[in-house]
Amino acid sequence: MLHPETLTVWCASWAGGIIGPYFFKNDEGHNVTVNGDRYRAMITNFFIPELNNHDVQELWFQQDGATCHTARATID
């Protein structure tokens, strides 16, 4: 192996608990790098449905300056 395998995991924490973890993998189950498309898919297909399962009255969504967070399509 030329480079060691990496793993990217995401989770959300709030007073009521933790949502996740979410592991970024492709359709074959291999670990993948997070890009804007994968990040937006996780938010749309995993985080929002999970968030809707909880009684969250107020939400502050905080991200760092990672490229997948600051992509124009993600901000939109």
Side-chain angles (χ1 to χ4, degrees), residues 35-41 43 61 63 66-76:
N35 60 24
D37 291 336
R38 291 178 181 132
Y39 182 70
R40 288 187 300 280
I43 296 294
F61 195 78
Q63 305 175 107
T67 305
C68 63
H69 301 164
T70 59
R72 175 58 48 203
T74 302
I75 293 171
D76 290 345

Side-chain angles (χ1 to χ4, degrees), residues 9-23 42-43 45-56 58-59 61:
V9 62
W10 177 96
C11 70
S13 61
W14 57 296
I18 295 174
I19 295 176
Y22 179 89
F23 297 94
M42 181 277 298
I43 296 294
N45 301 323
F46 176 76
F47 177 59
I48 291 174
E50 283 293 318
L51 189 62
N52 289 334
N53 290 332
H54 301 282
D55 186 28
V56 177
E58 187 175 324
L59 173 71
F61 195 78

